Structure formats: C-alpha cells, structure tokens
Amino acid sequence: MWSTLPALLCLGLYLSLRVGTQNQTLSKPLIWANPSFMVPNGASVSIWCQGTHGAVDYQLHFNGLPFTLAKREPPRLGNKVKFSIQPMTSYMAGQYTCFYRTGGLLSEPSDPLDLVITGMYDTPTLSVHPGPPVLLGENVTFSCHLETATTTFFLRKEGLASRPWRRVGNTRAEFPMGPVTTAHKGTYRCFGSYNEHIWSFPSEPVTLLDTGDVGVTDLASPGQPSSPDLASWDHTAENLFRMGLGLLVLVALACLLTHHWLLRKKTMTRALSMASSQEHRRRFRRQGAPDE
C-alpha cells in the first residue's frame, strides 16, 4: 500500500491543476463601434474590443474569419484595443466578433457587432399618418417609400441605441406604432436595403410631436448598444478558489499519508509485541523443562 501513495499524490496534484485550468475559462469580451454601427460610405469607424486586464493579444473576426484590414492600435488601460477602419466600404460591412488571449488561453467570442454602411442607394421618402402632430393614445403608421425596388426597409429613431425596426417590402413598407405616448416623440429616418448590412441614404427626418407631455414608455427593440458600459473585471475570487482547492487536495493527501503511517506503526508495534511474547514463551519452556 505504501507504494501507491506517490501515485495518489500525483493523481491529486493532477486533478487540482486540471480543475484550476477549467476554472480559467475567460469571459467573452465586449465589442462596440464608435461613433455608431451605422457608417456612411467613405467615412471612418472604430471597433473597440474590451477584455480583461493583462490580456496580451486581441483578434478581430469578420463574418467568422480573421480580419486583418483594420488598423489596430496598442491596448489602452491594459484591457481594451481599438481597430480602425478607414475609409468604410461595402466590403467591410458585415458581422464582427473579437477575442482576446491571456497566457495560453483564448477567450470566448464576443457578441456579434453588425456594422452597416449607408449611402449606397437612392434616398427614400418617410411620412407618418396621422401626424406628425398626434394625440396621446392614437395609433400611427410610418410609411417608407423608395422609387428603386428593394427588399427590406429599416426605421430608426434618432438617439435610440438599439437596432432599427425592420420590415420586408418592395418599394414601400409600413411601420405601425401605438398607442402613442410621449416616449414615441422624436425624430425618425428610414432606409432601404438589398442587404442586411448595405443600406441606402437616410430619408429626410420626420419629427413626431404630441399634444401632451405625460406618460413614459420605451420603444427600444433588441440590438447591440453603440457604447456599452465598460465593466472592470477581477479574477481575484477565481484565483483564490483555485488556491483553496489545491490546498484542500494537499491537506487530504497529508491526512492519507498520516493515516497510513499510523497504521503501519501500529502494525509494526503489534508484530514486535507478538515476537516478544513468543520469545518469552520459549524462554519459559526452556526454564521449565527437566534436566536429563
């Protein structure tokens, strides 16, 4: 049994290191575009990727493949990096993700960032009925019209960080809304598109007004923010967990060694005691035997 203890010790250390490595899975980074995910044709845009402090490398992927056309600047504050695209072209419109590397570990991919280029087709016309002045509680419909046939229309409220509303249409699409609250008040533009990432020029703005100033709701639709909150990431708890786990494994192995040593000592003591008893019995027999 004594020969199996080194094997148990090695096994315990291996399991401790393996569990620690599994707990080192890196969180996915944050990704966003500045000044916006909507980029006019020929303009410049920056894609930011934020990982953990101590990240040694960042990678930008475009439609699932490594993207090397963006100019990468050195990391700032040790946990984020900027990729610059200038000028913006239709070939660079698409879906982006980013990764970062710490030591020998590669992070999970970020959430996708859909980068859109605008100004590629004719300018659509946007109108709202009834309106633009409307009564609170009424239903309204935005109508986007494009002379050149297209496949998809998008309606966006200025200042809203989420993705625009999407409708399928040939030369016209309607966007019903309501009942109207003060949250609907604002300026709207629409776009036509043959591609999810290649849009027309924006329409002229249409400002929706209301006759009251009460009530608050939000029309935000799902989508990625243009400038997310920057969270500070701390792995102290994770490191403490790994250290504590390793310590527990070592303590358990020490207990096993101590227990085995005590058993071995007890066995040896019992053997010596039995040998001594047998020696005493032999001596007693010799002393009690009659002389011939």
Side-chain angles (χ1 to χ4, degrees), residues 87-157:
M88 181 68 179
T89 68
S90 60
Y91 298 103
M92 298 180 180
Q95 192 171 88
Y96 289 82
T97 55
C98 71
F99 303 78
Y100 67 94
R101 187 183 299 276
T102 299
L105 298 176
L106 186 66
S107 73
E108 298 179 1
S110 66
D111 291 333
L113 168 68
D114 290 304
L115 199 64
V116 171
I117 185 172
T118 63
M120 300 300 294
Y121 308 113
D122 295 337
T123 303
T125 302
L126 179 64
S127 59
V128 60
H129 304 281
V134 296
L135 296 174
L136 292 179
E138 282 188 327
N139 294 322
V140 298
T141 299
F142 285 91
S143 179
C144 188
H145 174 70
L146 188 63
E147 292 291 341
T148 306
T150 184
T151 59
T152 310
F153 289 87
F154 294 92
L155 177 68
R156 181 172 184 263
K157 180 182 178 183

Side-chain angles (χ1 to χ4, degrees), residues 51-73:
T52 60
H53 290 280
V56 296
D57 185 42
Y58 287 84
Q59 300 177 14
L60 184 66
H61 284 206
F62 174 61
N63 291 336
L65 298 175
F67 186 70
T68 58
L69 297 180
K71 179 183 177 182
R72 172 184 157 179
E73 298 185 5

